[in-house]
Amino acid sequence: MPHLLLKDLPRYECLLESAKEFPDLDPSACEAFLHLLRSADEGARVVQGPLAQHNISQGRFGVLMLLLKRCGRNASTLGPAELADAAGVSRATMTGLIDTLERDGLVTREPDTVDRRMMIVCLTPKGHELLQAILPDHFKRMAWLMSPLSEDERQTLLRLLNKIQRQADSSPEASPAPAALAVS
Amino acid sequence: MPHLLLKDLPRYECLLESAKEFPDLDPSACEAFLHLLRSADEGARVVQGPLAQHNISQGRFGVLMLLLKRCGRNASTLGPAELADAAGVSRATMTGLIDTLERDGLVTREPDTVDRRMMIVCLTPKGHELLQAILPDHFKRMAWLMSPLSEDERQTLLRLLNKIQRQADSSPEASPAPAALAVS
DNA sequence: TGTTTGTGGTTAGCTCCCTAACCATCCCAA
DNA sequence: TTGGGATGGTTAGGGAGCTAACCACAAACA
């Protein structure tokens, strides 16, 4: 699950040392990158880890949250494909997620009478109750994790992260190396 | 693999809206947290994703890098247990990783003659060559990803991430909710 | 010296995600 | 109206991580 497996991050001096052997290594970029991954790993562990106590994995949580949000505007019915797209998992994975969620009585899956290819997934009262029970603590953990940062610092962090994110988004598909790579 | 499955992050207005229903939801904390996870996901995708082209998964990469580092100071021999600890995976996982790395001829595994419980894992010349071949591009991608940030901004980012990390580290085991939770 | 405890490595079986392939249904256009 | 694509959902199989249990060996202690 974590993105960064290393237990101890290399110290800056070590990076400088390694940069002699690998001229392409940008020590400060490397350091920032590793700390970014490490922070996200730790944050996810602290915030999302406890969900496992309720037998809620990351994927399950995502589905339930999407269903909760759509619950309000009940106009739009949503099926596995739409859910998969919104949640960022494959349709096959979504089938499996819904299977177990249905088995646990948290969602229902009914065939759509209009388009007979489609299924309609809905949150059950039990699913709704579960969310109401776990969300407050979930949000508390999030707030707790970020509590060392002032509002200004959060804004700054957001600005810097957005720069990284935009840069990452400009990389086509992750498979082809960034085109600008040779240029820089 | 990603920490955050949602495709589209909720907008700030939506968070404010949800905060009415969930008083524990701190919108700016939530926003910062989600962007942190998203940035790390995207960064990992861009930087580490291309390693898959060389049939190098995250875990395999970690093992190879650890062996490369220790290659210099050949004094310390290291076995699966030590590797597992340093790489942050279970011993069982490390057994599997070494299995396939050995099968691919990238590492060797020999029994320790002194302590007959132990095995000694070493990088082969082929493994060393592979790293030399893929590391320059790896470092280039890292530098490219962080290139939108100035040195000052990298320092700032590091400072903010460290605050989050220290806070996360002060949470016992991820399973018990932070003790300070009720206090705040 | 013999027993107990601890440590290293492996195996077995699980979860959660993926891709590839498959059918059923819909839609569009010849 | 009928034949081809799209699109939706599922199944099958695989990869990478985990825990629990196991055996072999080492170390410590009565």
Side-chain angles (χ1 to χ4, degrees):
Chain A
M1 180 190 188
H3 283 138
L4 185 62
L5 296 169
L6 288 178
K7 184 179 161 196
D8 300 310
L9 264 41
R11 284 175 313 161
Y12 195 71
E13 306 92 69
C14 291
L15 289 176
L16 285 176
E17 190 67 25
S18 302
K20 293 176 187 168
E21 192 177 353
F22 297 99
D24 296 310
L25 196 163
D26 176 342
S28 72
C30 186
E31 190 182 31
F33 177 74
L34 293 177
H35 275 80
L36 172 62
L37 263 53
R38 169 53 51 95
S39 300
D41 282 348
E42 291 289 291
R45 184 179 60 80
V46 169
V47 173
Q48 303 179 341
L51 293 178
Q53 290 176 336
H54 304 276
N55 198 23
I56 296 295
S57 72
Q58 211 181 114
R60 288 167 68 105
F61 185 69
V63 177
L64 293 179
M65 287 303 280
L66 283 171
L67 289 174
L68 178 65
K69 214 174 10 174
R70 291 295 183 88
C71 231
R73 25 168 166 159
N74 46 9
S76 64
T77 68
L78 66 180
E82 215 171 339
L83 277 171
D85 184 56
V89 300
S90 67
R91 283 179 303 159
T93 298
M94 188 52 65
T95 295
L97 285 173
I98 296 173
D99 278 348
T100 66
L101 286 171
E102 191 180 21
R103 178 186 38 114
D104 295 349
L106 302 177
V107 308
T108 57
R109 174 162 42 183
E110 295 170 8
D112 187 334
T113 52
V114 183
D115 187 337
R116 288 188 315 197
R117 292 171 302 181
M118 303 249 286
M119 302 292 279
I120 299 178
V121 182
C122 284
L123 208 56
T124 64
K126 182 178 173 187
H128 198 84
E129 282 169 23
L130 178 65
L131 279 180
Q132 296 293 331
I134 65 178
L135 279 180
D137 273 355
H138 182 70
F139 291 136
K140 274 182 198 155
R141 285 191 297 270
M142 244 183 237
W144 177 82
L145 181 69
M146 292 298 166
S147 60
L149 268 54
S150 69
E151 284 295 329
D152 271 0
E153 287 175 324
R154 294 176 191 190
Q155 288 298 323
T156 303
L157 177 63
L158 222 55
R159 189 175 57 82
L160 300 177
L161 291 178
N162 278 333
K163 283 193 177 190
I164 298 173
Q165 221 166 300
R166 268 195 300 274
Q167 180 80 343
D169 286 342
S170 73
S171 163
E173 283 308 314
S175 354
L181 210 152
V183 179
S184 63
Chain B
M1 180 197 201
H3 282 137
L4 183 62
L5 296 170
L6 288 178
K7 183 179 161 196
D8 300 309
L9 264 43
R11 285 174 313 160
Y12 195 72
E13 306 91 71
C14 290
L15 290 175
L16 284 175
E17 190 66 24
S18 302
K20 293 176 187 169
E21 191 176 354
F22 298 98
D24 296 310
L25 197 163
D26 175 343
S28 71
C30 187
E31 190 182 30
F33 177 73
L34 293 177
H35 276 80
L36 172 63
L37 263 54
R38 169 53 50 95
S39 300
D41 282 347
E42 291 287 292
R45 184 180 60 80
V46 168
V47 173
Q48 302 178 341
L51 293 178
Q53 289 177 338
H54 303 276
N55 197 21
I56 296 296
S57 72
Q58 209 181 117
R60 289 167 68 107
F61 186 70
V63 177
L64 293 178
M65 288 302 282
L66 283 170
L67 289 174
L68 178 66
K69 214 172 15 174
R70 291 296 182 87
C71 229
R73 26 167 165 159
N74 46 8
S76 62
T77 70
L78 66 180
E82 215 171 338
L83 276 172
D85 183 55
V89 300
S90 67
R91 284 179 302 159
T93 297
M94 188 52 66
T95 295
L97 284 173
I98 296 173
D99 278 347
T100 67
L101 286 171
E102 190 179 21
R103 182 193 35 137
D104 294 348
L106 301 177
V107 308
T108 58
R109 172 162 43 183
E110 294 170 9
D112 187 336
T113 52
V114 183
D115 187 338
R116 289 189 313 194
R117 292 172 300 180
M118 303 251 285
M119 302 291 279
I120 299 179
V121 182
C122 284
L123 207 56
T124 64
K126 183 179 172 186
H128 197 83
E129 281 169 26
L130 178 66
L131 280 181
Q132 296 294 329
I134 66 178
L135 279 181
D137 273 354
H138 182 70
F139 291 137
K140 273 181 200 159
R141 284 191 297 271
M142 243 183 237
W144 177 82
L145 181 69
M146 292 298 167
S147 60
L149 268 55
S150 70
E151 284 297 327
D152 271 1
E153 287 175 324
R154 294 177 191 188
Q155 288 298 323
T156 303
L157 178 62
L158 223 56
R159 189 175 56 81
L160 299 178
L161 290 178
N162 277 333
K163 282 195 177 188
I164 298 173
Q165 220 166 300
R166 269 195 300 275
Q167 181 81 342
D169 287 342
S170 74
S171 163
E173 284 306 315
S175 355
L181 210 151
V183 179
S184 63

